[in-house]
Amino acid sequence: MSVTPSTARRNVDYRLLLPAVTAWAVTSAVIGLEPNRHPPLFMAALVVAVSSCALLATKGPRRSIHRLTAAVLLTAAAAATTTALHTADLHRGPLPALARPPAPLTPPPPPTAPPPFTVPAPSTGPGQSDSEDERAAAGRPVGERPVNPEVTVQLTVTGDPKQRGPHPGGSPLSRPTLTVPALVTRVRLDPVPHSGSASDLTTRTRTPVTLLIRSQEDYPWRQLIPSTELELRAEVLPERPTASGGRSRTDSAALLVPQGPPRVTAPPSLPQRLAAHLREGLRDACDHLPPDSRGLLPGLVVGDVSRLPDDLADAFRATDLGHLVAVSGANLAIILAVLVGGTSSEPEAPVRGGLAGVLGLSFRTTALLGTVLTLAFVTVCRPDPSVLRAAATGLIGLLALATGRPRSGVPALAGAVLILILVDPQLARSYGFLLSALATAGLLVLGPRWTAALRARGWPRHLASAVGATAAAQAFCSPVTVLLAPRVSLVGVPCNLLAEIAVAPATLLGFGALAAAPLSKGTAEFLTDLAALPVGWLATVARHGAELPGAELAWPAGPFGAVLLVVVILSLAWAVPPLLAGHRSRSRRTRGLVALAVALLLPVVLLRPPSVVRLATGWPARGWRLAVCDIGQGDMTVLPVGPGSAVVVDAGPDPKAADDCLRGLGVTEIPLLLLTHFHADHAEGIPGVLRGRSVGAIEVTAAEEADGERSRVLRWAGAGGIPVVRAQRGERRTVGAELAWQVLWPTSPLAPEAEGANNSSIAILATVGPSAAPLRVALLGDLEPPAQAAVLALGLPPPAPPAPPPAVQGVPTVPTAPTVRAAPPATTNRTSARGSADGVSVAGSGADGAGRSVLAGSAGSAAPSGPGPPGVGRVDVLKVAHHGSAGQDWSLTAALRPRLALISCGEGNPYGHPAARTVAGLRALGAMVVRTDRSGDIAVLGDARTLAVATHPRPARG
């Protein structure tokens, strides 16, 4: 019998939905309030509660409306009261006071900027690790060392240690950090000096905090198990207020930096020890698997993503499969379905299927076993927001089963959300909890209707159910994911459909290995071998889906983007059914034309051939000589060699952004990837550079600093079989007929000025373009004033016969001068304007037919003359050092006297890059300043006689 949409329409109880939404909204608004607003809040909650009681006492024809209104008011009052009570510990006690010192009565005088051509004093002395920009980002004055209070605390670990990625700013902050949530139960303060009192200032408290471990010796901290009690000495970091003056954190009262290793005063509880033993057993059983399966299976089963490859995690996010990377409510639903059974044909009737039905267990026994299984699942997999939502929903369903009442999905979901918000108000601001609730709501509300509509049009039952459920979940969740990252995945629905067939087998086999590991490691390894097949399928779907050029569509950021996406989804939901409906020939022709259009346009949208993209966007500009990619707060420069071939200098902080930029430029072959230094904002994008491209070699600095990032670079190179070589001053390379460069810095052995990773950056002077009038380009990495001054003093290195640079330990060398085919002559598509002979003087600007912003200018001779030692001379283009920070040696800049200054930095970065005085100084020298944070991708066109710039704006990234 065919299924019609009417069969999906049944009476759904929405009465609990409004109170649940009310509690969520009130909690989210109240959770950030200061303590001085709590008394008026309690009084308002009391008035609302009394008013709701009065509504309950009224009688009349609108009694049902009065009851609903009273329920909403009571829920709002309860949510406000419980939120204020739960967050009280965030504000009382010594730790919040130490983290939020009182503001000074008089603001400090504003700093005066030095003249643009003076050499500023070094921002750090010997032995200091903070740079000027890092201190500014940390919210303390430049030149002032932090003086933070230290306390001795006793605390209980409340969650698993979590790895945080390297900071893009470099220096000490670039090392990965570890965060550990904890509850402080006792605080001992140091006695005040010269107070004459040596009493023990100990305070009992219950203050939630976050431990921040910056040291590389973090192995003892990684082994901590929730419920472990510790005593330690810690530094209290000051809290940085938000732009609105509120608190930057609502889940912890302070950030504590431990001084020394942890000292355990009490071991974890028995359930937590058993859970940790099971998790460790699963990890051990996965050790022999390939890297993707080894990292993905523990994440899919118990939420352990510590070994998940970074590029695979990015692929799962790009394909909207991120809910599979870590354990989610779907895992619990699969486990309960094995015990209780799936949805029956009569959803409103109590059912007992699965193992319970086979064994003939009663409703109450089945509900009891399901409750035990749910609690064990939460303990082993950790109470993440999605897990809590699924557990609460499942327990409500089990309660209905035990009492013989009908099960209904929407009331169970609303009741679970209401209870959890009242018990744990922090969930109100959790994106994970919101996405889990929305996905479940989509499955319950829209899923059955869309499935029935597809069945009515002849779709197979299983395919219609899968497409309807997946599309409904995506429709509900997409507006929220846009707030997290301004992009829409065009492959999310098909990738989820392809992944669905492997999720249940991988989950069940993984849990089987988890349970078998303590009893027999061989059995556990056998089960993980079986699970590796569906897990490998999941990884394959994610990787191939993310590699499609059109996998993601850029979307406006912020609330506007979310509202716009809601409008688009509603429009599609209204427009698509009429195209699918009807039985007349005209409708069949319409459906045929739509299917043909989709078949022709979809490959173009997903594959995005460079020739088609250039016709649509005008990017890349024809005849480009150099490109600076807009990859956020970092550096990435591309020097073309020939069709599809280019030398890349640095890779930026984001693999996805690096891959997108090279894909847009049509680069598929990279003779050399030059990495100026080992900082995250220059190196973390390497996996994106390597994705689908042949790389001849990676050249790195000789400095041994930033060991963590250096190890990651060598690991990526080793995995791709790419040789790694070290650069040295005087090295000269030529690639093709129109690209050559020489290394200006660093010296070998490293000079005293090269202290710190920034000062060990590789600096090169390149010539690009035709030999008749080549462009001279200086790329200075992140050099700071001491190293910049040394570059000026040394001048150009003397000519030397080419010799292979020394190889990094254990890695072979490559020839000094790799050669590829010469690029054919290219024409420039730009507008031009006359300028003075002393630099670029923009006399006009405009846009080409593709809508690019085009800046153009011309100049006289670019001969290497001017101030400074012989041989340094002037350059046409300067990639400004260190993202345009205030730390510039203006003697070097004046010697280079660039006509065009390019600054690569991220929009709204916390370091204030570029510094206003740096931009002003460059313009005073006659340089045109172009920035990636305002212009997007930058392409340099022309030659030394005529210089032009084409820009390609990119949407904001989340």
Side-chain angles (χ1 to χ4, degrees):
M1 182 178 66
S2 62
V3 180
T4 62
S6 61
T7 61
R9 300 190 187 106
R10 57 178 183 271
N11 295 327
V12 180
D13 190 352
Y14 291 104
R15 288 177 296 178
L16 273 178
L17 190 59
L18 188 56
V21 173
T22 301
W24 201 326
V26 171
T27 301
S28 181
V30 171
I31 199 170
L33 294 181
E34 295 295 327
N36 56 2
R37 298 188 180 182
H38 286 175
L41 183 67
F42 289 141
M43 293 299 299
L46 180 61
V47 171
V48 170
V50 172
S51 302
S52 62
C53 293
L55 284 175
L56 288 175
T58 59
K59 297 181 180 180
R62 297 184 176 179
R63 188 175 182 182
S64 60
I65 298 178
H66 292 167
R67 287 181 176 178
L68 179 60
T69 305
V72 171
L73 293 177
L74 279 174
T75 302
T81 303
T82 56
T83 302
L85 294 176
H86 276 87
T87 57
D89 290 329
L90 294 171
H91 306 283
R92 61 189 175 199
L95 290 180
L98 294 175
R100 304 185 70 186
L105 297 178
T106 58
T112 58
F117 295 104
T118 60
V119 180
S123 59
T124 58
Q128 295 178 340
S129 58
D130 284 353
S131 71
E132 175 182 329
D133 303 302
E134 286 159 356
R135 288 198 298 278
R140 59 181 183 270
V142 173
E144 181 179 311
R145 300 296 298 168
V147 182
N148 297 324
E150 292 188 0
V151 295
T152 301
V153 296
Q154 295 179 8
L155 52 84
T156 302
V157 177
T158 57
D160 289 310
K162 292 186 178 180
Q163 183 82 31
R164 303 297 180 185
H167 195 283
S171 257
L173 295 179
S174 68
R175 293 193 297 266
T177 57
L178 201 69
T179 59
V180 183
L183 181 68
V184 173
T185 55
R186 190 185 296 266
V187 181
R188 186 168 68 249
L189 303 176
D190 293 335
V192 180
H194 312 295
S195 63
S197 173
S199 60
D200 186 14
L201 304 177
T202 302
T203 305
R204 292 182 178 273
T205 183
R206 289 185 58 83
T207 306
V209 298
T210 300
L211 304 181
L212 182 66
I213 294 90
R214 291 178 177 172
S215 172
Q216 292 182 335
E217 301 296 331
D218 58 3
Y219 178 78
W221 298 94
R222 293 178 183 273
Q223 310 308 310
L224 291 178
I225 300 173
S227 75
T228 304
E229 297 182 11
L230 307 175
E231 182 175 359
L232 52 88
R233 182 81 173 169
E235 174 190 358
V236 184
L237 295 184
E239 181 177 2
R240 296 176 60 193
T242 61
S244 59
R247 302 181 70 250
S248 58
R249 299 183 303 271
T250 60
D251 57 346
S252 64
L255 284 177
L256 303 184
V257 180
Q259 309 297 304
R263 188 167 71 86
V264 178
T265 58
S269 62
L270 178 60
Q272 291 294 345
R273 290 202 302 271
L274 292 175
H277 184 61
L278 291 173
R279 292 165 66 93
E280 183 66 26
L282 178 62
R283 281 196 298 268
D284 293 342
C286 295
D287 282 342
H288 66 289
L289 299 178
D292 283 355
S293 299
R294 182 170 61 242
L296 181 55
L297 184 57
L300 181 67
V301 176
V302 296
D304 182 0
V305 294
S306 58
R307 298 191 295 185
L308 186 71
D310 294 337
D311 57 338
L312 182 58
D314 293 336
F316 271 86
R317 283 190 290 268
T319 53
D320 278 352
L321 294 173
H323 58 96
L324 300 179
V325 174
V327 64
S328 65
N331 301 73
L332 179 58
I334 293 172
I335 299 300
L336 290 179
V338 173
L339 175 66
V340 183
T343 304
S344 72
S345 58
E346 299 178 5
E348 301 299 327
V351 295
R352 181 195 59 221
L355 292 177
V358 172
L359 299 176
L361 301 179
S362 64
F363 286 158
R364 293 186 179 181
T365 303
T366 302
L368 179 60
L369 290 177
T371 300
V372 173
L373 190 61
T374 300
L375 296 178
F377 181 89
V378 174
T379 303
V380 174
C381 300
R382 306 306 193 219
D384 289 334
S386 177
V387 173
L388 289 176
R389 195 278 313 156
T393 306
L395 289 175
I396 292 176
L398 292 172
L399 178 62
L401 179 66
T403 57
R405 296 177 179 273
R407 292 185 296 170
S408 184
V410 173
L413 173 64
V417 168
L418 178 59
I419 294 172
L420 289 174
I421 289 294
L422 294 178
V423 172
D424 186 2
Q426 298 295 340
L427 294 174
R429 291 194 175 182
S430 168
Y431 276 103
F433 186 74
L434 176 59
L435 289 172
S436 178
L438 287 177
T440 307
L443 294 175
L444 295 173
V445 176
L446 281 184
R449 289 171 170 78
W450 287 2
T451 299
L454 294 175
R455 289 288 311 279
R457 288 159 179 83
W459 285 51
R461 181 170 63 90
H462 293 292
L463 181 60
S465 178
V467 172
T470 302
Q474 290 286 104
F476 270 60
C477 293
S478 294
V480 177
T481 59
V482 165
L483 295 175
L484 297 173
R487 53 72 175 172
V488 175
S489 177
L490 300 181
V491 297
V493 172
C495 284
N496 273 275
L497 290 174
L498 293 173
E500 185 177 354
I501 60 176
V503 173
T507 300
L508 295 176
L509 290 171
F511 273 104
L514 177 78
L519 305 175
S520 172
K521 184 177 181 180
T523 302
E525 290 181 346
F526 173 72
L527 292 174
T528 57
D529 286 334
L530 295 178
L533 182 60
V535 169
W537 170 254
L538 294 175
T540 300
V541 169
R543 288 192 182 278
H544 284 77
E547 288 174 358
L548 292 173
E552 294 179 294
L553 176 67
W555 200 262
F560 172 76
V563 173
L564 178 62
L565 187 56
V566 170
V567 173
V568 171
I569 291 173
L570 292 176
S571 300
L572 288 175
W574 174 83
V576 171
L579 294 177
L580 297 177
H583 299 283
R584 294 177 300 175
S585 58
R586 181 178 179 182
S587 297
R588 286 196 296 269
R589 285 196 300 269
T590 302
R591 286 182 294 179
L593 292 175
V594 170
L596 179 62
V598 170
L600 294 176
L601 293 178
L602 189 59
V604 174
V605 172
L606 294 180
L607 298 179
R608 294 186 184 180
S611 56
V612 176
V613 173
R614 172 174 282 174
L615 289 175
T617 66
W619 185 262
R622 293 188 181 278
W624 61 283
R625 306 295 185 187
L626 173 148
V628 176
C629 299
D630 177 19
I631 39 77
Q633 180 62 18
D635 266 1
M636 183 173 176
T637 306
V638 184
L639 304 170
V641 175
S645 179
V647 170
V648 178
V649 181
D650 288 325
D654 180 13
K656 181 66 169 59
D659 183 37
D660 287 346
C661 181
L662 294 177
R663 199 187 300 263
L665 295 172
V667 176
T668 58
E669 179 184 348
I670 301 174
L672 183 72
L673 169 60
L674 194 152
L675 190 66
T676 58
H677 62 295
F678 296 109
H679 269 174
D681 56 337
H682 295 249
E684 280 296 306
I686 288 179
V689 175
L690 304 182
R691 188 174 299 157
R693 298 177 183 87
S694 61
V695 178
I698 299 178
E699 187 169 30
V700 300
T701 180
E704 299 291 341
E705 299 205 17
D707 289 339
E709 199 65 39
R710 180 176 177 274
S711 299
R712 290 165 67 83
V713 171
L714 295 181
R715 186 168 66 249
W716 288 324
I722 304 171
V724 179
V725 298
R726 285 176 175 164
Q728 59 183 6
R729 173 176 163 80
E731 171 190 329
R732 298 171 185 265
R733 287 179 180 260
T734 300
V735 184
E738 297 187 353
L739 174 60
W741 72 89
Q742 52 189 324
V743 176
L744 305 179
W745 188 265
T747 58
S748 180
L750 291 175
E753 295 86 352
E755 289 186 357
N758 283 346
N759 279 332
S760 66
S761 297
I762 299 174
I764 66 173
L765 181 64
T767 57
V768 299
S771 58
L775 290 172
R776 302 182 82 238
V777 181
L779 305 178
L780 301 182
D782 274 3
L783 293 183
E784 295 182 358
Q788 292 181 35
V791 170
L792 176 63
L794 292 173
L796 290 181
V808 177
Q809 298 176 1
V811 184
T813 61
V814 294
T816 303
T819 305
V820 298
R821 291 186 299 111
T827 59
T828 301
N829 179 17
R830 64 185 184 277
T831 60
S832 60
R834 283 192 170 275
S836 67
D838 194 37
V840 176
S841 175
V842 181
S845 64
D848 63 9
R852 296 171 306 183
S853 173
V854 179
L855 307 175
S858 61
S861 172
S865 61
V872 174
R874 295 177 53 187
V875 298
D876 299 290
V877 181
L878 170 67
K879 202 288 295 179
V880 183
H882 204 183
H883 320 290
S885 72
Q888 306 291 329
D889 184 274
W890 288 102
S891 298
L892 174 63
T893 310
L896 296 174
R897 200 170 184 84
R899 303 164 57 196
L900 174 64
L902 307 179
I903 299 177
S904 179
C905 57
E907 183 178 6
N909 67 84
Y911 310 102
H913 292 161
R917 62 178 177 177
T918 298
V919 176
L922 290 167
R923 288 173 176 165
L925 284 171
M928 184 198 326
V929 179
V930 187
R931 305 160 44 171
T932 58
D933 61 333
R934 295 184 177 179
S935 300
D937 296 328
I938 304 169
V940 177
L941 315 175
D943 54 26
R945 292 182 295 268
T946 173
L947 188 64
V949 176
T951 60
H952 180 226
R954 287 183 178 270
R957 279 181 291 272

